[in-house]
Amino acid sequence: MFIAEIISVGTELLLGEITDTNAVFLANELKARGVVLHHKNTVGDNLQRVADTIRKALERSDLVILGGGLGPTDDDLTREGIALVLGETPEVNQDLLNHLESMYTSKGRTMPQSNTKQAWLIPSAISLDNPIGTAPGWMVQKDGKIIVAMPGPPQEMKRMWKEQVLPRLDLPERALYHVTLHTSGIGESNIADLLGDLTLQNSPSVATYARKHGVDVRVAHMADSLEEARQGAAATEAIVREKLAKFIYGQDSDTLESVALKKLQERKETLAVFEAFTAGALAQKLGRHPRVKGVLSSGDHGIQVDLGLTPRTLSEEGEDSVNAAIELARGIQDRLGATYGLATVGNLETHECHVALVTDTEHKTATLNWVGTPDQLIERTSNAALMLLYRTLKGEAQ
C-alpha cells in the first residue's frame, strides 16, 4: 500500500491565524488518485520540530508532502529540516540564483540578500519551478521514499503540484469509491447503534460525521479500478442504506433544501413560509426558487395575529406552541395562495421548538427539544422544517 502524509509548516497555521486550505486541497488530490493518506500534521517554525516531524513521517509513509516554510527569512525552515533529516548540506545552486536575480532585474529591482536562501539545494533534491513566485520547490527521491516541498501561497502551491509534482510521481494505479449519505432526525450515537460493527471494519470503511445539517455516513472502498471499488463497497453500502433508510435524504452534493425544492418542482406545487423562530434561516436556504411564493419572518404579535394566529392560542397556549405553528402555517398558505404553508415557532429558554406544515386538508408537525446555543436551535429547527416538507413531498408518513 502506497501511503502519503501531509505536513503543513508555519507557526501562523499552528496557532490558527491562517486557515490551512492547502492541506485540504492536497488531501482531495490524493484521494482522487487512490493514494492512502493516514496523517496530516501542522508544525511551527522550529527547526528541530520540523525535522522530527519529517523523520517520523518518513518512518510510516512513502510520500511526504510539505507545504510552506520555503520563504527567504530565518523562520522559513523547511529546506533546513529536510537537509537535517537526510544528513545533507544545502548549497547555493547557481542556476537557481541566476533565475531569482533575473526576476528582480526584469522589474528594475535588486534582489535582497536574504532571497539567496531560496536558491539552495541539497545533492539529492531537484528544484521545482515556480513561475509565479520566488520560492522554488524541492523534490527528493531517496531510499524508496519521496519528499516534496512546495511554497505556502495557495496559488503557487496548486500550480506547482499540477505542473511540477504530479508529472514526476509514479503513483500506483488505485481507485477510491466513496459515497457520503446525508441523514436528518437522528443523532450520531443512534446511528452508531444501528450500524453496529460496520463502523469497525477497515474496508469497505463506514464512518459517521456530525455536521450542521445532520449526521453524514461515508462508505469507502479502494481497489485497482473505480468499478472494482464500487462493486466491493456495494454490499456494505446497501446495508447502510437499509438500516438508515428512514433518515437518509440525499448523498454527496445534495442538501436538505435542494432535495425538497427538487420534489416541489417535480410535483409542480408551491410553498409559503413564515418564520416566527428561525429568523430568516429558511429564507436563506430556499432562496428565490420559483416554487417558493414567499418567506416572511417576524416575531411581532400584531403581524402574527393579522396573519392568522388566534388571540386565544396566543393567550392560552403561547406564541411558541404547536397550535401557534399550525395557525401561522395556515395563515401564510392562505395569504400567499400556496399549496403548502410552513411555519416555525420556538422558545430559546426552554429549547422547545415546533414546525408545522399545512395543506388545504391536513397538517403535520414536528417538535424539537434539545440543548444548544440559539444558533444551533435555529439551524436544527430550519432543518426539521425542511425534512418535514421533504418527507411530505415524498409521501412518507411522519
Side-chain angles (χ1 to χ4, degrees):
M1 183 183 295
F2 188 82
I3 298 174
E5 183 156 346
I6 297 170
I7 301 173
S8 300
V9 182
T11 300
E12 71 278 19
L13 297 170
L14 185 66
L15 299 181
E17 295 167 354
I18 295 178
T19 301
D20 187 4
T21 59
N22 286 352
V24 174
F25 168 81
L26 290 169
N28 280 310
E29 284 286 298
L30 294 170
K31 179 179 67 178
R33 291 162 176 80
V35 178
V36 176
L37 180 67
H38 280 178
H39 297 88
K40 286 197 293 186
N41 282 298
T42 302
V43 60
D45 301 316
N46 176 282
L47 179 57
Q48 196 56 54
R49 287 194 282 273
V50 170
D52 289 345
T53 305
I54 297 171
R55 189 176 291 111
K56 184 168 291 186
L58 287 171
E59 290 173 358
R60 59 196 179 194
S61 302
D62 305 290
L63 169 64
V64 178
I65 305 171
L66 294 110
L70 294 181
T73 59
D74 290 338
D75 62 351
D76 290 306
L77 297 165
T78 295
R79 302 179 196 83
E80 290 92 325
I82 296 172
L84 182 61
V85 170
L86 300 182
E88 300 183 28
T89 302
E91 294 183 357
V92 173
N93 179 283
Q94 194 58 48
D95 290 338
L96 285 176
L97 185 61
N98 292 342
H99 174 71
L100 279 172
E101 289 176 337
S102 68
M103 288 178 66
Y104 280 88
T105 302
S106 67
K107 301 297 180 185
R109 299 167 56 187
T110 301
M111 188 186 84
Q113 187 59 35
S114 60
N115 283 88
T116 303
K117 177 178 178 176
Q118 293 181 302
W120 285 359
L121 269 184
I122 54 176
S124 61
I126 62 170
S127 68
L128 304 173
D129 290 345
N130 181 2
I132 55 174
T134 61
W138 277 18
M139 187 169 189
V140 180
Q141 299 192 57
K142 190 173 183 180
D143 300 330
K145 306 283 185 174
I146 304 172
I147 302 173
V148 171
M150 294 182 288
Q155 288 185 332
E156 296 179 35
M157 187 279 294
K158 290 177 182 177
R159 183 163 175 176
M160 186 175 291
W161 169 256
K162 291 181 178 177
E163 294 183 357
Q164 299 292 320
V165 180
L166 278 179
R168 291 180 166 90
L169 287 179
D170 185 19
L171 296 177
E173 293 186 3
R174 299 281 284 172
L176 177 70
Y177 169 75
H178 60 94
V179 62
T180 299
L181 306 175
H182 305 304
T183 72
S184 183
I186 183 172
E188 191 173 18
S189 55
N190 296 114
I191 286 181
D193 288 345
L194 286 174
L195 296 180
D197 292 343
L198 282 177
T199 55
L200 299 178
Q201 65 187 39
N202 288 326
S203 191
S205 63
V206 179
T208 62
Y209 306 96
R211 310 289 195 202
K212 285 176 64 177
H213 53 258
V215 180
D216 286 350
V217 182
R218 183 174 185 268
V219 180
H221 185 59
M222 187 175 290
D224 290 339
S225 70
L226 183 59
E227 187 52 36
E228 285 182 50
R230 188 192 308 277
Q231 291 178 7
T236 297
E237 183 181 336
I239 295 172
V240 173
R241 287 184 181 274
E242 181 183 2
K243 288 180 177 290
L244 303 179
K246 180 181 176 183
F247 307 100
I248 293 173
Y249 64 83
Q251 67 183 55
D252 296 331
S253 61
D254 289 335
T255 62
L256 256 176
E257 50 268 32
S258 74
V259 296
L261 289 171
K262 183 179 179 182
K263 281 291 175 190
L264 199 65
Q265 182 71 40
E266 289 172 355
R267 294 169 63 109
K268 302 186 186 307
E269 295 174 326
T270 55
L271 174 71
V273 182
F274 186 83
E275 300 187 78
F277 179 71
T278 41
L282 281 168
Q284 189 172 19
K285 292 181 177 183
L286 294 171
R288 293 180 176 271
H289 193 278
R291 289 288 163 184
V292 178
K293 302 199 78 169
V295 182
L296 180 61
S297 175
S298 176
D300 184 274
H301 291 168
I303 293 175
Q304 293 178 8
V305 169
D306 181 60
L307 192 66
L309 177 62
T310 62
R312 177 183 174 281
T313 296
L314 182 60
S315 62
E316 296 182 7
E317 301 179 42
E319 62 184 305
D320 51 9
S321 63
V322 176
N323 279 331
I326 295 171
E327 290 174 359
L328 290 169
R330 184 80 63 201
I332 196 71
Q333 183 216 9
D334 290 343
R335 184 68 61 89
L336 299 185
T339 314
Y340 300 94
L342 181 64
T344 65
V345 301
N347 188 313
L348 291 175
E349 294 184 0
T350 64
H351 294 172
E352 186 165 290
C353 311
H354 305 282
V355 299
L357 181 71
V358 304
T359 65
D360 291 338
T361 58
E362 63 177 344
H363 69 258
K364 295 178 180 179
T365 63
T367 296
L368 295 85
N369 190 340
W370 193 243
V371 295
T373 66
D375 286 346
Q376 286 176 312
L377 294 175
I378 287 173
E379 181 70 21
R380 291 169 188 161
T381 304
S382 65
N383 287 341
L386 291 171
M387 195 63 178
L388 182 63
L389 173 65
Y390 176 62
R391 285 181 174 167
T392 300
L393 292 170
K394 282 186 69 181
E396 293 181 355
Q398 299 304 309

